[in-house]
Amino acid sequence: MANKLTININIDVLDSAAELSEQELQAMELAQQAAADAYAPYSNFLVGAALVLEDGTMFKGSNQENAAYPSGLCAERTALFALSANHPQAKIKLLAVTARRRNEQEFLPAMPCGACRQVMAEYEFKQKEPIPVLLQAANGKFYRFNSVADLLPFQFTSEHL
């Protein structure tokens, strides 16, 4: 008989921006600004990400599309890779993500894709401490995760090599 494994993930569901800390609010606003800068002429789906670093500095990224679709890159990876290229030792204290359709003002649920979750997990593994994740949800709500591991509980790391 097979054994069962149960995974419990705690997610804070915040009903409005009023429940965000000042730093979370600033990060989400930066992510929203980053979404406005996205290069998404094909999907018209604008995604923005913001990183809050240990010293309070914020870093942003947006999705970058390409006519050869696989050549594009998501906002989360754009932000993480740019940060690592410019500040390889920086510690990330928060990652905020938001999305919306072009020509619409309402922000949509922003769920990182599998590739982004794996990259996010790599940076969490690299810095040896959790990276909280704040995602824009529907109807003005937000999801707060304590760690990338909550988004990707079975991660592939260098320990598997």
Side-chain angles (χ1 to χ4, degrees), residues 52-55 80 89-95 119-133 145-150 155:
V52 178
L53 307 183
E54 191 170 44
D55 66 0
L80 289 164
Q89 301 307 315
K91 285 206 170 185
I92 302 164
K93 291 303 188 184
L94 176 69
L95 168 62
V119 170
M120 291 160 57
E122 180 75 17
Y123 284 90
E124 186 170 86
F125 183 79
K126 176 185 170 190
Q127 73 179 34
K128 295 179 178 47
E129 63 184 68
I131 298 173
V133 180
F145 296 81
N146 293 324
S147 169
V148 173
D150 292 333
Q155 302 172 5

Side-chain angles (χ1 to χ4, degrees), residues 13-21 24-25 28 134 136-144:
V13 179
L14 310 173
D15 290 326
S16 73
E19 295 184 55
L20 299 175
S21 71
E24 289 172 327
L25 183 60
M28 189 54 68
L134 181 65
Q136 184 111 37
N139 303 318
K141 295 181 189 250
F142 300 88
Y143 296 140
R144 183 192 296 135

Side-chain angles (χ1 to χ4, degrees), residues 35-149:
D37 295 333
Y39 179 69
Y42 308 105
S43 71
N44 292 308
F45 189 69
L46 311 175
V47 183
L51 304 171
V52 178
L53 307 183
E54 191 170 44
D55 66 0
T57 303
M58 294 195 186
F59 212 84
K60 69 178 181 171
S62 60
N63 58 317
Q64 302 294 309
E65 294 182 349
N66 191 289
Y69 287 152
S71 299
L73 197 60
C74 300
E76 299 91 318
R77 287 181 282 159
T78 299
L80 289 164
F81 293 158
L83 173 69
S84 185
N86 290 285
H87 307 282
Q89 301 307 315
K91 285 206 170 185
I92 302 164
K93 291 303 188 184
L94 176 69
L95 168 62
V97 183
T98 191
R100 69 177 175 83
R101 291 182 189 95
R102 187 180 314 281
N103 301 322
E104 293 182 14
Q105 297 304 311
E106 183 178 335
F107 286 89
L108 305 166
M111 300 299 143
C113 72
C116 285
R117 291 176 195 218
Q118 182 62 45
V119 170
M120 291 160 57
E122 180 75 17
Y123 284 90
E124 186 170 86
F125 183 79
K126 176 185 170 190
Q127 73 179 34
K128 295 179 178 47
E129 63 184 68
I131 298 173
V133 180
L134 181 65
L135 304 177
Q136 184 111 37
N139 303 318
K141 295 181 189 250
F142 300 88
Y143 296 140
R144 183 192 296 135
F145 296 81
N146 293 324
S147 169
V148 173

Side-chain angles (χ1 to χ4, degrees), residues 3-7 154:
N3 293 323
K4 292 196 185 244
L5 175 64
T6 302
I7 298 173
F154 288 97

